[in-house]
Amino acid sequence: MALDLAVGTEHLKNGDIDESLYSRQLYVLGHEAMKRMGSSHVLIAGLRGLGAEIAKNIALAGVKSLTLFDPAPATISDLSSQFFLHPDDVGKPRAAVTAPRVAELNAYTPVSEHPSQSLTSDLSQLSRYQVVVLTSTPLKDQLAISDYCHQNGIFLVITDTYGLFGSIFTDFGKDFTVSDPTGENPASGIVAAIDTDGLVSALDETRHGLEDGDYVTFTELQGMEALNNSDPRKVTVKGPYTFSIGDVSGLGQYKRGGLYTQVKMPKFINFQPLAEQLKKPELLISDFAKFERPQQLHIGFQALQAFAEHHGGSLPRAHNEEDALEILKHAASRAGDGEGKVELDEKLLRELSYQARGDLSPMAAFFGGLAAQEVLKSVSGKFHPIVQWLYFDSLESLPTSVARSEELCKPLNSRYDGQIAVFGKDFQDKLANVNEFLVGAGAIGCEMLKNWAMIGLATGPKGKISIADMDQIEKSNLNRQFLFRPKDVGKLKSECAAEAVQAMNPALKGRIAIRPDRVGPETEHIFNEDFWEGLDGVTNALDNVDARQYVDRRCVFFRKPLLDSGTLGTKGNIQVVLPSLTESYSSSQDPPEQSFPQCTLRSFPNKIEHTIAWAKEKFHSYFVGPPEVVNLYLTQPDYIEKTLKQSGNEIGTLENLRDFLVTEKPLTFDDCIVWARQQFEKEYNNAIQQLLYNFPRDSKTASGAPFWSGPKRAPDPLKFDANSPIHLGYVIAAANLHAFNYGIKSGNVPENHYKKVMDHMIIPEFSPNPTVRIQADDNEPDPNAQPSGSRFDDNRELEQIAAQLPPPKSLSGFRLEPVEFEKDDDSNHHIDFITAASNLRAQNYAIVTADRHTTKFIAGKIIPAIATTTALVTGLVVLELYKIIDGKTDLEQYKNGFVNLALPFFGFSEPIASPKGTYMSTKGEVTVDKLWDRFEVENVTLKEFLKDFEEKGLQVTMVSSGVSLLYASFYPPNKLKDRMGLKLSELVETISRKPIPDHQKNVIFEVTAEDTTDEDVEIPYIMLKLRK
């Protein structure tokens, strides 16, 4: 531990950032914000569940130092949400026990205890911190600390939760600077025109992505050159494709070309101290369906503080009517008078009193994520802070299936007392006997399991948690998957996560089933019908859409509730899927992933994303595709005759085989260096010269416009320079990857050796080939595409290449090693190659290059992630889980949610109801749920099956199962004769020519049918139940 910490401190002194640990967070915050965080000292006061959540999130994020203050002894009820405490810690000072466990999370964040027994006895002790966070702190102490912090430029965050209620307050002082209010990438685009009134039009009607008040700068304008690299101009949006930059008189006439780029301008905010904000609060709305509630809670929370002050620090007793009446009196005295008087909601404030002693893990997770993000905003200036209050509640999570009373909610000297105070003992028993399936044990999975351990999910005699995750722990996971430690790297996530939460709550021992398997069609014999039917619910913690859709389909089929959630940087969402009530996850789809036209990538890139996509294609065409083809040639009999005839690219495939097995096959590492240098010449000099030969700089289009204009940038060939880090870096990466393909050891070859080998090479002068044709536009046909029917027409050329190939038998045992792309191994040259290849291409086209970090993000399709968002989102998921376990069927009680902590924005909505349909039966109109309903049938004959549906008023016209068409009304009688007497299972096996697997207990049929009105109607699918 001491050694790790020393290394971490040294890194911080040098201003370095451990990208292998922080990579996903860096893509959220950026290097500058993280460097500012790395020089900040943070104090957290109060270490019950909420304080522990904030400490965990800040430690993972990385600050200069984290100091914890809470000298009070831990109580048994703290275990409701304080996941760093163990039962044997009861009676010990919270900070003393918690600090060393927080320190384990991140060697780069030193964690210590605040040396004093009181924060207010000497306020000057706070001057060593940049940020102070207060939880579970009396109001009089909050006010004293607030005044001191405001006067001394110390940022302050105050946050508390009471049962299903919570609040957060921020004060970042006068003239607080927000350097980047949104965190979104700056908008940019190509200029099509600028008129004399300053109206800018984007090229090809591309949406500019700007908003009123944004600022832009220009480059590469021809005409109006004075705008190039001038001061940012303020934007007024005129439409999705046009915006105004104001007065352009005296700047000349626009001719052509040019790029615009958004400039992030700083925003300045004046915060008021707590004393002023208590009187006139500035409230951020967390749920627009509860627009009036923040004002009520602002008074209610002050009433709780007043009650505690009158009762020696104690809050109202759970469900105690006498205490609730006192809270109402305190609230009434703070409601104001005259026109400004607030009409109090007594029912709401009574509920606040009932729950005041409540301590819920999901509420701590929500506000812990929120407060930690505000701390990071304060020290980094990145993202817009909360100004200045936010109140949130989840009263919809209160159970209605069980009774709540003072007797049922009283403390039992149990670790769940903080939850029993809100929900009552009977609901605690319900939570304990749930069978829940968690799919994924990554960032969301870890947070979910922590919450489940705290709330006592599945700890009873009938309780069970199944965890499915086949992945192993990597170093980059440690930044946000907080159940894992450095010693766990390389182990299975599912096993380590289960072990960690069993330590948090020993009652989970024997209740967790670890399944280190992917959940998908290939594991349906593992996750079989018995498994799914035994579940009470499913929670997704997945980061890829295909897997989420598969689990969603299984939940629909087995009619199980599903809670799905995801994060993307500071954005997060949750969706509730309820059988027979809501639409499913798959009912809506995200927009397709952005793709670039091939013509643009091949010849006309105009932004760095194009060159990175091109470089990744080159990575595949050099180090992945050809070695795979070589291995197929060496292992598959008659490969050329069989496979090649179907590929449509015979010459290219044969040329790859010839190059990799004969003409360019390396014997030594020096040969690999020579090969890499030749690829540089081919791609960055020869290909560019050929392009400029086909389309000279003064080329015109058919309409007479300059060919090289708009998105087409005229390139320049590159001359190799061994002293250029990018040029040499390309050769080093390419040579090492080529050597890897052939199993040639490269060792630690010094740079001088690469230069020495290249010095002895003779690079022939390039002469453009007049027969080469290049596609000028994606809308035009590719001049190099093979016309239909031409394959193997030129047999002579193919035979000549094939004749050069060694027979596979002569290379017995020889195989190439294709490269498997891995973005997170900094020693494997993968990202090094793509970065160098992309940046060289960018230099060809005068495109601004990208550093390795940015290239890795784009090429690796990395999902940016930060622990704060993950914690908050899982808190919201568990608040919905309470409702599902309670058995609520009123859709209005459930909340789908979308949050963006950067703005900050919170959006909640009622889940969308599942689609319904109707058909006319013999007994009148029948309503069906198009998603959740199905017809279940026994294993009858096809004839009986059709008759049963006739009696329902449905004339079946077609029946299929998978790709097999089992019945069609247009089939001739002689074809149907043999099928009518077959049982449905026999019919499926006969037509598909495959047996039904033993583990399968049902078969799905899709049918088309007409109802009694002879109209085609959409009816649910049919499930054949097999009795095995």
Side-chain angles (χ1 to χ4, degrees), residues 574-587:
I574 72 158
Q575 181 177 355
V576 187
V577 178
L578 301 167
S580 303
L581 288 175
T582 72
E583 67 175 20
S584 75
Y585 173 81
S586 306
S587 299

Side-chain angles (χ1 to χ4, degrees), residues 31 42 102 265 288 400 492 589 607 716 761 780 822 882 911 987 1017:
H31 283 80
V42 180
V102 175
M265 303 295 281
F288 286 95
T400 54
L492 281 170
Q589 291 187 333
K607 56 185 179 179
D716 291 300
M761 289 177 65
E780 297 177 4
E822 172 49 60
Y882 285 142
L987 181 63
V1017 288

Side-chain angles (χ1 to χ4, degrees), residues 443-708:
I444 289 176
C446 283
E447 293 286 343
M448 205 70 71
L449 285 168
K450 172 258 296 177
N451 278 290
W452 291 359
M454 294 297 98
I455 70 173
L457 190 78
T459 52
K462 296 178 183 175
K464 184 178 179 182
I465 294 171
S466 299
I467 308 171
D469 196 313
M470 61 179 289
D471 288 347
Q472 295 176 322
I473 298 162
E474 299 173 359
K475 185 179 178 183
S476 65
N477 299 149
L478 303 179
N479 173 237
R480 63 203 180 284
Q481 300 177 18
F482 87 105
L483 296 182
F484 308 139
R485 302 291 180 268
K487 65 180 174 58
D488 299 324
V489 171
K491 297 178 184 176
L492 281 170
K493 289 183 177 181
S494 50
E495 289 182 0
C496 291
E499 192 178 315
V501 292
Q502 285 172 108
M504 284 181 183
N505 187 348
L508 281 172
K509 286 180 179 170
R511 301 288 168 206
I512 299 180
I514 299 161
R515 296 176 179 266
D517 303 286
R518 187 191 307 279
V519 181
E522 69 278 11
T523 55
E524 287 184 3
H525 61 291
I526 298 170
F527 303 102
N528 54 24
E529 278 89 343
D530 288 341
F531 171 81
W532 283 96
E533 284 166 0
L535 296 174
D536 293 315
V538 181
T539 301
N540 265 350
L542 295 162
D543 62 1
N544 90 70
V545 171
D546 290 342
R548 289 161 86 170
Q549 288 179 335
Y550 173 79
V551 173
D552 176 66
R553 289 195 299 272
R554 298 305 275 172
C555 287
V556 170
F557 182 78
F558 289 103
R559 294 171 173 156
K560 301 296 177 184
L562 170 68
L563 289 164
D564 187 273
S565 59
T567 68
L568 181 71
T570 59
K571 300 176 183 130
N573 71 283
I574 72 158
Q575 181 177 355
V576 187
V577 178
L578 301 167
S580 303
L581 288 175
T582 72
E583 67 175 20
S584 75
Y585 173 81
S586 306
S587 299
S588 58
Q589 291 187 333
D590 292 332
E593 196 175 295
Q594 184 186 21
S595 61
F596 303 116
Q598 279 301 309
C599 189
T600 300
L601 295 185
R602 281 197 296 257
S603 304
F604 309 111
N606 58 63
K607 56 185 179 179
I608 197 66
E609 288 83 357
H610 296 158
T611 68
I612 292 172
W614 177 89
K616 197 170 179 189
E617 282 189 6
K618 286 296 171 189
F619 179 91
H620 188 275
S621 64
Y622 286 157
F623 312 118
V624 184
E628 289 175 344
V629 170
V630 166
N631 290 345
L632 289 172
Y633 169 72
L634 295 174
T635 56
Q636 287 191 3
D638 303 323
Y639 171 75
I640 289 179
E641 288 75 12
K642 288 181 182 176
T643 310
L644 213 51
K645 287 178 182 177
Q646 303 166 10
S647 72
N649 184 26
E650 299 83 1
I651 290 179
T653 305
L654 283 173
E655 286 176 342
N656 273 333
L657 287 171
R658 178 196 63 199
D659 293 346
F660 273 71
L661 286 174
V662 184
T663 57
E664 296 179 1
K665 182 183 177 184
L667 299 176
T668 66
F669 187 67
D670 285 2
D671 293 339
C672 297
I673 297 173
V674 169
W675 177 86
R677 172 66 182 86
Q678 289 169 340
Q679 302 318 304
F680 179 99
E681 200 67 20
K682 174 181 161 189
E683 300 293 356
Y684 304 108
N685 180 29
N686 301 357
I688 300 300
Q689 286 196 47
Q690 183 69 55
L691 181 63
L692 291 171
Y693 174 83
N694 285 51
F695 304 109
R697 292 181 186 279
D698 57 358
S699 298
K700 304 282 187 192
T701 64
S703 63
F707 179 84
W708 294 106

Side-chain angles (χ1 to χ4, degrees), residues 324-340:
L325 288 172
E326 188 175 335
I327 286 290
L328 290 174
K329 287 179 185 174
H330 284 300
S333 69
R334 286 161 176 76
D337 48 34
E339 288 185 9

